[in-house]
Amino acid sequence: RLASSATDYLGKKVNAAIITIPSDFTDAQKDALNKAATEAGLEVLQFITEPVAALLAHDAKNNEESTKDKNVVVADIGGTRTDIALVASRGGMYTVLATAHDYELGGAQLDAALIDYAAKEFQKKNKTDPRTNERSLAKLKLEAEAVKKSLSLGASAAFSIESLSDGIDFSLTVNRTRYELLAGKVFGSFTRLIESAVQKAGLDNLEIDEILLSGGTSHTPKIASNVQSVFSESTIIAPSTNPAAVNPSELTVRGAAIQASLISEFEKEDVEQSTHPAVTVAPHLAKAIGVLVGDNEFVTLIDANTAVPVRRTAQLNAAEGDVLVKLCEGVSEIKVTKEEPAPKAEANGDDEDSDDDSDDEPEETREKVWKAGEVIAEAAVKDVKKGSKVEVQINVNADLSVQVIVREVGSKTGVRGTIEASA
C-alpha cells in the first residue's frame, strides 16, 4: 500500500526505499521486515534507526547547527510506545550513547485519561457506564483522540457524541488545564523516561544541548513544558516551543528521504561496504581533549564520544613572550553554588510572623564547568608578540595516536609532536 501510494503520487514506479526502525530492533525483526518489503516489490537500500533519522531531518533544516558538537536527546513519542535515544553529534557524525523504551507509554494513555473522565461524567447523569459496551467505547476513543488533538492547539475542546449509550447523546467541554491534571501521571512518565536515558549514558541534565521531540504525540504542549522545566539549559525542539520546528510526525520520514537522496546514486554493493560494521563502528574518544595556554582558562577542543580520526584547530589569546601550552584531558563537573540568604530583619516584639521565612533554603545554581585533567603533553612557543594569538591544531588518528601542532598565528614555524596511543 505504501509503495503504490508513493508511486501514484510521484507518477513513476517506486521500487526501493530507506526504512526507519526502532533503535532496539533485532536482526530477526530486520529480516522479517526486509522479507515483507521484498514481497511488496521494494528493495531495502538501508535500515536506519528512527532517532538518527529524526536528527538528520532536524540538522538538514539547520545547516549551521549540524556540524556543532552537541549531545541530543531524541524522544520519539508515538501512539502506543515511547523510545528515547541519547545521541552524541560530533561534526555531523552520530553516535547513540544510550536508549530507553516504554512499550506501554504513548498517546493512547493520554486518550485513556480523557475517556475515563468523559465516561464518569456520563455515568453521573445517566447511571450507566459507556465503557462496558464495545460500540460506545469505540465512539469514546475516537472522540477522545479528536479532543486531545484540539487541546494541543486551543485552550478548550468539546466531546460531542450522538447516541453514546442507550440512545443518549453526550456533550462535554474540557479545558486544557483540566486535561493536564487528568493526565498528570502520564506526562510525568515521559519526563522520567528521558531522564533515565540521560542517567544511563552517565551524563548530567546540564550536559544535554538539545532535546528533539518526535512522533505525533509530541504536538502536546505539556510534554515540552514539563521537559523544559527539568532541562532548563537545553533547547527543547517542539512545535509549542519553536514554531520553525519540523513537524514531529514527519521527522523520521524526512530523515529517511534525505538519506535516500544521499545514497541513491550509489550501487548497492558500495552502500553495503560503506555501512558495514567494520566501517561504521569507529573507535571513539573516551575523554575530552583540550588545551591550557599560559594562565588562561582551559579550552575543550574535542569532546568525549567523538569518533576518530578527527581534527580540531583553535586560536587562543596568549601573553607576550614565551608561552607554555599544555595539552590535557578535559574533565567536566557540575558546579553547585548556593546564594547567600538575605540578612534577617530585626523582629519587633509584636510581629508574630517575623520568623515565617526563617526556614527558607538558599537557592542553588548548577552549571557545567570544564577543568584541565591529566596533562598529555606540553609545548613552548617562544617570543610571542604582544596581541598575537597561538594556534593549536590537534589530529587524533584512527589508532588513537595524537599529532599536535602549536605555533603563533602568522608564523611559518611552530612546534610539532606525536603522542602514541597508550596501551
Side-chain angles (χ1 to χ4, degrees), residues 289-340:
I289 298 178
V291 290
L292 198 59
V293 179
D295 297 326
N296 294 339
E297 292 185 3
F298 176 75
V299 178
T300 305
L301 294 186
I302 307 177
D303 212 336
N305 301 306
T306 299
V308 295
V310 63
R311 173 186 293 179
R312 292 288 189 275
T313 303
Q315 294 183 357
L316 307 169
N317 294 323
E320 184 181 3
D322 297 343
V323 176
L324 180 65
V325 178
K326 295 181 180 180
L327 184 68
C328 311
E329 290 182 347
V331 179
S332 67
E333 61 180 40
I334 305 302
K335 183 180 178 182
V336 180
T337 56
K338 289 188 177 182
E339 295 182 3
E340 292 294 330

Side-chain angles (χ1 to χ4, degrees), residues 30-62:
K30 291 178 186 177
D31 291 341
L33 189 55
N34 191 27
K35 181 181 177 182
T38 302
E39 292 175 353
L42 284 175
E43 177 189 356
V44 179
L45 299 179
Q46 187 183 359
F47 288 115
I48 58 173
T49 60
E50 290 171 350
V52 169
L55 187 53
L56 177 61
H58 166 67
D59 283 346
K61 186 177 181 182
N62 303 274

Side-chain angles (χ1 to χ4, degrees), residues 382-421:
K382 292 186 176 182
D383 301 326
V384 175
K385 300 181 182 67
K386 185 177 181 181
S388 292
K389 292 186 176 183
V390 170
E391 182 180 87
V392 181
Q393 179 178 301
I394 300 175
N395 299 323
V396 183
N397 301 315
D399 61 357
L400 297 180
S401 63
V402 181
Q403 293 176 329
V404 184
I405 302 174
V406 182
R407 65 185 181 90
E408 182 181 353
V409 175
S411 174
K412 295 182 179 180
T413 60
V415 181
R416 297 169 180 264
T418 300
I419 306 158
E420 298 298 331

Side-chain angles (χ1 to χ4, degrees), residues 112-129:
L114 288 170
I115 290 169
D116 290 343
Y117 175 64
K120 288 174 182 176
E121 291 297 311
F122 183 86
Q123 193 172 6
K124 283 180 185 177
K125 298 178 181 178
N126 304 288
K127 308 304 180 186
T128 181
D129 188 347

Side-chain angles (χ1 to χ4, degrees), residues 20 32 45 48 58 68 91 105 134 149-150 156 180 185 227 247 275-276 298 301 305 355 367 373-374 398 418:
T20 63
L45 299 179
I48 58 173
H58 166 67
K68 288 185 178 179
L105 178 64
E134 289 186 6
K149 291 178 179 179
S150 297
S156 64
E180 291 173 353
K185 290 184 178 179
V227 175
N247 183 346
T275 57
H276 191 277
F298 176 75
L301 294 186
N305 301 306
D355 293 331
E367 60 177 334
E374 181 180 345
T418 300

Side-chain angles (χ1 to χ4, degrees), residues 115 118 130-131 133-147 159-170:
I115 290 169
R131 293 170 295 183
N133 181 281
E134 289 186 6
R135 187 179 183 85
S136 300
L137 181 59
K139 289 182 177 181
L140 265 180
K141 286 182 177 179
L142 191 63
E143 190 70 3
E145 185 177 356
V147 168
F159 282 85
S160 181
I161 305 174
E162 184 178 350
S163 184
L164 175 58
S165 181
D166 298 332
I168 303 171
D169 297 339
F170 175 66

